[in-house]
Amino acid sequence: MTNVSPSRGDMTGHPDASEMRDRYARVLGGRDVALVDGPVFLLGLYCAASPWIVHYTASQPSLVAHNLIMGIAIGLLALGFTRAPERMYGLSWAMCALGVWMIVSPWIVGESPDAGVVWNNIIIGALAVILGLVCAGTAAKASSRP
């Protein structure tokens, strides 16, 4: 009986191997931060849902709308990082700015927030700053390659 199962041979002799390598490199485009996109999206999702998770929808209505909008913005940045990384990683610094704003927003947007609300926004903001710095550093490293 003949062996009809596909064999996993060496692809270097394939006539399209160099074209496939070039296409793969072009698609990835220096995507060293591919693992950061998911946590950034999850951070945005948590930020948008945090008023209901931490239960301050009744006591801080202005912060509810604020965190919802900021969470959507962070999530959209993450989707942009995934969809068009070569164009979006320049906005990594915006992620850092959103993080700093999240840290100070309970005192500016909120009305005498309690400790849970403050710590919630500080943690979200600190994670946004850290993830934004990771994205910005990796984008800078990728763009400095010849």
Side-chain angles (χ1 to χ4, degrees), residues 37-55:
D37 298 346
V40 170
F41 183 74
L42 290 175
L43 180 69
L45 187 64
Y46 173 76
C47 181
S50 67
W52 293 275
I53 294 171
V54 183
H55 302 292

Side-chain angles (χ1 to χ4, degrees), residues 53-144:
I53 294 171
V54 183
H55 302 292
Y56 60 88
T57 54
S59 64
Q60 298 290 330
S62 56
L63 269 177
V64 170
H66 172 268
N67 280 17
L68 181 64
I69 292 169
M70 293 296 289
I72 291 170
I74 292 171
L76 288 175
L77 273 176
L79 290 176
F81 292 157
T82 303
R83 184 77 177 131
E86 63 280 349
R87 292 184 294 188
M88 290 294 293
Y89 278 131
L91 290 175
S92 301
W93 294 107
M95 181 81 172
C96 296
L98 289 176
V100 170
W101 173 250
M102 284 300 294
I103 291 172
V104 298
S105 65
W107 295 283
I108 297 172
V109 178
E111 301 139 5
S112 63
D114 61 352
V117 173
V118 170
W119 278 110
N120 179 59
N121 278 24
I122 288 174
I123 291 170
I124 291 172
L127 288 173
V129 168
I130 291 168
L131 291 171
L133 289 174
V134 168
C135 288
T138 307
K141 183 178 76 170
S143 67
S144 66

Side-chain angles (χ1 to χ4, degrees), residues 3-11:
N3 184 7
V4 291
S5 64
S7 62
R8 296 192 182 250
D10 189 18
M11 289 281 301

